[in-house]
Amino acid sequence: MRGPRATVERLDQPSAYFNNRNKRRRFDKDQRDGDDDTNMQNDQPEEDPLKNATTLYVGNLSFYTTEEQVYELFSKCGEIKRLVMGLDRFNKTPCGFCFVEYYTHQDALDCMKYIGGTKLDERIIRTDLDPGFTEGRQYGRGKSGGQVRDEYREDYDEGRGGVGRAIQSARMRERETRDYDDDGYGRLR
């Protein structure tokens, strides 16, 4: 007979981002090696890199949230080893995420349990275990240097810097066109 069934999802399970990233890598490796059955039998299950992870990815932060605010909130769950704020690749300004590294795995789990989903600067923050911070990951991956999701946002969000970059660029093009037409040049008569 089985024991009681868990009704709560485990906090230390790999995130959807991590699972999808590994699926792509395995698929690419299979394509390179050739999809024969001998390769499939030799594959051993990879060890879970989040099993002893001490780093948290924190997302959905306001662009105006400071390191001191994050440190104060997250230090309530354990001693922080390192905190790395995410930066816009070009402007070197905060762009809405950070990495918090604890000394123990249990502190990171406690943080996910107690702080994930709470509000900081009027925004609900998201926490996920992370395999570990490496240099270069502190920069946004969007074309404009910031977060990719901000480039596709279509609403006004003061905490994330106003309107999405797609709308900003469309408005700028519209203004340029209007200014061009107001000069009287380029207009068909």
Side-chain angles (χ1 to χ4, degrees), residues 103-161:
Y103 283 99
T104 67
H105 178 66
Q106 190 58 47
D107 288 346
L109 289 178
D110 289 344
C111 183
M112 282 185 62
K113 186 176 182 181
Y114 298 119
I115 294 180
T118 61
K119 280 190 173 185
L120 178 63
D121 275 350
E122 301 301 316
R123 303 188 61 77
I124 297 174
I125 55 175
R126 219 171 23 96
T127 58
D128 278 319
L129 282 175
D130 194 80
F133 174 77
T134 55
E135 195 60 39
R137 287 189 64 203
Q138 73 267 30
Y139 299 115
R141 296 181 305 193
K143 290 181 217 167
S144 62
Q147 293 283 9
V148 174
R149 67 185 280 229
D150 288 324
E151 293 177 355
Y152 296 105
R153 187 167 32 87
E154 294 183 5
D155 58 336
Y156 179 79
D157 189 351
E158 185 178 343
R160 299 288 285 187

Side-chain angles (χ1 to χ4, degrees), residues 42-88:
N42 293 337
D43 284 343
Q44 297 174 9
E46 295 177 25
E47 179 155 342
D48 183 11
L50 301 180
K51 186 170 117 180
N52 295 316
T54 58
T55 306
L56 286 178
Y57 168 85
V58 182
N60 201 33
L61 293 173
S62 169
F63 285 9
Y64 308 106
T65 301
T66 63
E67 278 188 49
E68 290 80 20
Q69 289 173 296
V70 174
Y71 191 89
E72 183 181 338
L73 177 64
F74 283 81
S75 64
K76 295 180 186 211
C77 288
E79 191 176 350
I80 295 176
K81 183 177 184 180
R82 180 168 63 159
L83 187 136
V84 180
M85 287 296 285
L87 300 175
D88 184 296

